[in-house]
Amino acid sequence: MRTQVGIVGAGPAGLMLAHLLRLRGVDSVVLEARSRDYVQRRVRAGVLEQGSVDLLTEAGVADRLHREGARHEGIELRFAGRAHRVPMTELTGRAITVYGQQEVVKDLIAARLAAGGEIRFEVQDVRLDGLDGADPVIRFRDAAGDHELHCDFVAGCDGSHGVSRGSAPAEAFTSYERTYPFAWLGVLAEASPAVHELVYANHERGFALYSLRSPEISRLYLQVDPDEEIEDWPDERIWAELRTRLETVPGWTLNTGPILEKGITPMRSLVIEPMRWQRLFLAGDAVHIVPPTGAKGMNLALADVALLADAFAGWYAESRTDLLDAYSDTALRRVWRAQHFSWWMTSMLHRLDDQDPYEAKLQTSTLDYVATSRAYATSLAENYVGLPRV
Ligand code: APR
Ligand code: PHB
């Protein structure tokens, strides 16, 4: 088997890369460890920056997004018994769209298959060889047996547990990492959202987030200890804790309903530099991770592959190497801005240390500053809606 770009991973990064390459006349094959059903059901975050919506729209894969996604022009911060709206669109002229990541994944899979593109689901034992030569090869196994996919380049889009990065020598990369002493417990509930915009709450018992998916479905999160087991969180305990942390504004109550899905996700920040080794190009969660507080994960993945698609297209159309050579540095500028923003939102909103009242006072002061300074609120808003693409 031979293709131009071999893509490992069918998350937003790998699927969008395959789609953008096809639009530019470049062939690719996508290899995915899980089944189609599994990747389409995997519940993840759901906030698209304006630039991500524009990218999906320009690429012709946003029809359902425009029908079913909800445009939001502000977010609410709750702290110290008060609620404050950050009017993002008024401050920046841009907005976000709430649309689940797995819906983006469904749309991209449908578009690829409709165009006759290849996605091999349920492949096993993916191994990359020859990355430092002109003929990289991806070996893998599926129900039909062992295969070799020869290609010009490999795009490692296989997320935080992938194998691509480990196929290059460890000394080729430097990693920058921070783990947080907490996790998020996320639930999807059949409850009509009691909010129109996302609510980020700083509470003395820990952070809570009220998000939504549709007029019937709420998506909620609670800060929990990283070693908590989901079995210790029966639905009643989750609702009680959400009430305590969110019902802090007079007259406001949460809507409850059956919980459809729940899980605990650790929080971490990670950047691997550079995002390339020889003919291996890394994108998305395979090379950087952000805590979800800034809602940047999917947006960074899409921004990476927009650059990468242009770089590969330049190489095939005009033998250009400059865009391939610039990929890592260009992408990392956006990655580090998102790292800082995600770290900042995380630090401002979570209970960091039980013993440290000083931290709590600083958080309240920072939130107060966002609530009273147009300059500071604009800084939050422009990062949240997403800085323009370079
Ligand atoms: N072989 C083939 N596929 C693999 C392998 C492997 N060895 N390892 C992992 N994968 C697949 C995963 O099953 C997954 O479908 O790679 C895909 C990676 O997709 P994502 O994890 O969604 O990563 P990415 O496309 O970079 O999107 C980033 O996902 O986790 C969220 O918060 C993150 O929103 C961000 C987004
Ligand atoms: C979500 O809707 O899942 C969501 C929203 C905002 C975040 C994280 C997750 O910061």
Side-chain angles (χ1 to χ4, degrees):
M1 254 193 290
R2 172 148 207 108
T3 190
Q4 290 176 306
V5 181
I7 301 176
V8 187
L15 291 166
M16 187 64 175
L17 178 61
H19 183 73
L20 292 172
L21 288 176
R22 189 185 63 79
L23 295 178
R24 289 162 174 76
V26 177
D27 283 338
S28 66
V29 171
V30 181
L31 303 176
E32 166 59 49
R34 304 286 192 164
S35 68
R36 178 177 180 182
D37 191 52
Y38 183 93
V39 298
Q40 296 196 154
R41 280 172 195 265
R42 192 165 42 193
V43 181
R44 296 267 180 82
V47 170
L48 288 166
E49 295 174 355
Q50 177 99 44
S52 300
V53 172
D54 294 347
L55 185 69
L56 292 160
T57 306
E58 286 158 24
V61 281
D63 291 353
R64 196 164 67 93
L65 160 64
H66 287 291
R67 280 199 311 275
E68 296 177 17
R71 182 184 149 93
H72 287 210
E73 300 197 338
I75 55 169
E76 188 180 306
L77 301 174
R78 273 185 204 177
F79 62 102
R82 285 180 278 149
H84 175 78
R85 178 173 189 263
V86 180
M88 296 180 310
T89 304
E90 187 191 313
L91 295 169
T92 66
R94 299 195 296 281
I96 55 145
T97 298
V98 177
Y99 188 66
Q101 178 170 313
Q102 84 265 34
E103 305 305 324
V104 174
V105 164
K106 276 183 211 160
D107 295 344
L108 287 169
I109 290 175
R112 173 135 188 103
L113 298 180
E118 206 173 337
I119 309 175
R120 300 261 184 139
F121 290 102
E122 297 183 76
V123 304
Q124 291 169 18
D125 286 341
V126 170
R127 279 152 298 139
L128 313 182
D129 283 309
L131 294 167
D132 53 352
D135 182 32
V137 53
I138 310 180
R139 298 196 166 81
F140 64 96
R141 193 155 45 80
D142 64 13
D146 292 323
H147 305 274
E148 285 190 357
L149 173 64
H150 292 263
C151 42
D152 302 322
F153 300 100
V154 176
C157 302
D158 45 355
S160 51
H161 303 294
V163 294
S164 300
R165 180 162 38 96
S167 307
E171 57 276 15
F173 303 112
T174 305
S175 69
Y176 301 87
E177 187 164 11
R178 171 151 305 186
T179 50
Y180 300 90
F182 41 79
W184 274 20
L185 187 165
V187 303
L188 197 64
E190 206 176 315
S192 107
V195 292
H196 301 294
E197 295 178 339
L198 274 59
V199 175
Y200 288 81
N202 171 307
H203 189 274
E204 59 184 19
R205 290 179 60 84
F207 171 73
L209 170 61
Y210 204 140
S211 182
L212 50 147
R213 287 291 178 274
S214 73
E216 299 83 35
I217 304 285
S218 299
R219 176 84 174 136
L220 299 127
Y221 298 93
L222 281 172
Q223 173 185 354
V224 297
D225 287 337
D227 49 8
E228 295 266 359
E229 302 286 342
I230 197 69
E231 293 71 37
D232 297 330
W233 284 88
D235 295 2
E236 313 76 63
R237 181 176 176 206
I238 294 175
W239 287 120
E241 196 60 38
L242 284 166
R243 269 197 208 96
T244 305
R245 298 188 197 180
L246 287 162
E247 290 184 350
T248 54
V249 177
W252 187 91
T253 52
L254 190 72
N255 290 339
T256 61
I259 289 184
L260 307 172
E261 205 259 5
K262 58 183 167 184
I264 294 180
T265 320
M267 303 264 287
R268 126 177 132 105
S269 296
L270 171 71
V271 182
I272 306 291
E273 294 192 6
M275 290 167 61
R276 169 195 186 173
W277 184 71
Q278 306 279 358
R279 294 213 169 207
L280 171 67
F281 290 78
L282 299 163
D285 269 24
V287 68
H288 45 68
I289 297 170
V290 281
T293 328
K296 290 287 166 246
M298 170 168 44
N299 295 292
L300 280 182
L302 295 174
D304 285 351
V305 299
L307 290 173
L308 202 46
D310 283 345
F312 286 137
W315 196 84
Y316 284 107
E318 304 168 67
S319 304
R320 285 177 66 171
T321 54
D322 58 330
L323 295 175
L324 289 171
D325 291 340
Y327 166 67
S328 177
D329 286 348
T330 310
L332 281 166
R333 284 206 295 278
R334 170 177 288 273
V335 167
W336 276 110
R337 177 89 304 280
Q339 287 287 330
H340 172 263
F341 179 64
S342 307
W343 163 84
W344 178 68
M345 287 283 278
T346 302
S347 315
M348 177 170 72
L349 289 162
H350 290 73
R351 186 172 178 91
L352 300 175
D353 183 343
D354 285 349
Q355 310 307 320
D356 194 350
Y358 182 85
E359 288 282 358
K361 289 284 184 190
L362 284 186
Q363 288 181 332
T364 309
S365 169
T366 310
L367 286 158
D368 241 339
Y369 190 28
V370 174
T372 53
S373 157
R374 194 174 171 90
Y376 210 43
T378 304
S379 172
L380 188 159
E382 72 174 0
N383 279 279
Y384 196 86
V385 299
L387 292 155
R389 260 186 285 155
V390 286

